[in-house]
Amino acid sequence: MTAATAPAPALPEPSGPDVVAEYGTELQTTRVLRAPDGGFLWWQGPGAQVPGPLLAPAAHLVPRLPADTGAALLTVPERAGAGLLHRVAGAASAAAWLRDFRPQARALVAHSLASAARALRALHAVPAPPPGEPPLGAPPGLARLRDWAHGRGELRERALARWGPERMERLLDWADDLAPDPAAAPDGLSLIHGWASLGALVPPLSRGRVALLTGEDLAVGRPELDLGWLLGELVELAWTTPHQNPADLQRLLLDAYGPGPDPVLVGRSAVLRVVTHMQDFATYRGWDDELLGYIAFTAELIDEEGRRAVPQGVS
């Protein structure tokens, strides 16, 4: 490997009095710090159950999008200690802003989702890595879902008892359709974010661009997977917070993305997102009786193929 292509040395793990937030699970830890330039540093590191370090080997494939496109900044992280460091203009994610019930907070989330949709459209225009590039597989979230479905544990046994094996097989078939083996897959695959989520979407605190933290979960799959991942979070939010009606945000996201996505695949992806969150919670935080409600809720989502994630009239 030549000096021109050698990876940059890792920065030290950021810490100290400038930390404004820190949270995480045994899957991942997030630390937010004030940056000297007035922005913020988001550091994400491995949780207790994840061997480090975190890496983003395909980050060089991410397109740099001009601000005048209205697209979110797809941040490319720097290595820092055992984790990855993103430089952004905000201190809180869109998920946090959605818990603020002021109208201006929801307007900020709406703007951020539209920006994210435009950025994802540009990312999805990048083809799967050509021969000679390190191969990319399915998103890590789907890999965890498959391991859970074929493994053991209280959540799996309770889910199988409520769902029956047919629903579990349908989930795995959907995962295979949305992120098939690139070596044997038909056309239609592209570079995908792999974990497009409200927690990775960072609106600016005052001035600056919306950012979508990008890199660690980059994968090859169908574009509908990223869209459904975000829409699945909105569906889950509507279920856990009854006074939240996400229909306007769902439609805005899809309208900003534009035509092309298959609504059936988008809906199925939304189901996969909710189930992945459920199994991640059980794996990295432990059993909670709240998961019994999730098992029943996800059974409904599987049966309807996630249609509630795609507003009527969107095609």
Side-chain angles (χ1 to χ4, degrees):
M1 181 178 290
T2 66
T5 59
L11 300 170
E13 180 180 316
S15 61
D18 293 325
V19 173
V20 297
E22 188 165 7
Y23 51 89
T25 68
E26 293 191 352
L27 174 63
Q28 187 176 83
T29 296
T30 298
R31 187 178 302 151
V32 182
L33 305 90
R34 295 187 185 276
D37 64 1
F40 295 89
L41 305 175
W42 282 58
W43 180 83
Q44 295 180 321
Q49 290 194 45
V50 177
L54 301 187
L55 300 172
H60 64 285
L61 298 174
V62 175
R64 308 298 193 263
L65 306 177
D68 60 7
T69 63
L73 176 67
L74 297 170
T75 65
V76 176
E78 303 167 79
R79 296 189 302 144
L84 298 171
L85 186 68
H86 298 263
R87 301 177 185 274
V88 299
S93 69
W97 279 108
L98 267 178
R99 295 193 290 270
D100 184 328
F101 298 114
R102 292 174 296 175
Q104 57 266 40
R106 192 174 182 88
L108 182 62
V109 172
H111 167 70
S112 300
L113 281 170
S115 297
R118 298 183 189 104
L120 289 173
R121 182 101 193 184
L123 182 69
H124 297 158
V126 178
E133 292 272 1
L136 288 174
L142 285 188
R144 295 195 301 273
L145 178 64
R146 290 185 177 111
D147 289 344
W148 168 75
H150 293 299
R152 305 172 71 89
E154 183 171 3
L155 176 66
R156 179 183 179 276
E157 299 311 313
R158 287 178 178 263
L160 275 175
R162 173 65 176 81
W163 294 353
E166 182 182 2
R167 288 191 179 99
M168 187 73 83
E169 288 301 318
R170 290 176 74 187
L171 277 179
L172 294 174
D173 287 345
W174 295 348
D176 289 342
D177 288 343
L178 285 156
D181 179 359
D187 294 336
L189 301 187
S190 66
L191 188 66
I192 60 172
H193 184 283
W195 195 264
S197 70
L198 296 171
L201 183 60
V202 184
L205 187 61
S206 55
R207 293 184 299 174
R209 292 178 69 179
V210 176
L212 183 59
L213 310 184
T214 305
E216 178 194 355
D217 296 286
L218 285 166
V220 170
R222 298 191 184 279
E224 288 88 352
L225 189 59
D226 283 340
L227 292 171
W229 221 251
L230 277 165
L231 292 167
E233 287 191 272
L234 293 173
V235 165
E236 184 178 349
L237 177 71
W239 177 67
T240 58
T241 314
H243 57 274
Q244 286 272 14
N245 182 355
D248 59 324
L249 298 178
Q250 292 171 322
R251 183 174 295 279
L252 180 148
L253 174 73
L254 291 169
D255 285 348
Y257 185 89
D262 182 332
V264 174
L265 293 181
V266 172
R268 290 173 178 176
S269 171
V271 181
L272 291 170
R273 172 63 182 103
V274 180
V275 175
T276 298
H277 182 217
M278 176 181 74
Q279 73 86 17
D280 276 349
F281 185 99
T283 301
Y284 298 107
R285 290 193 176 180
W287 175 262
D288 187 292
D289 285 346
E290 180 185 1
L291 292 168
L292 295 173
Y294 267 88
I295 291 171
F297 175 56
T298 49
E300 295 177 9
L301 291 181
I302 295 168
D303 289 345
E304 68 173 35
E305 298 190 45
R307 283 189 291 272
R308 71 182 71 181
V310 184
Q312 290 186 354
V314 173
S315 60

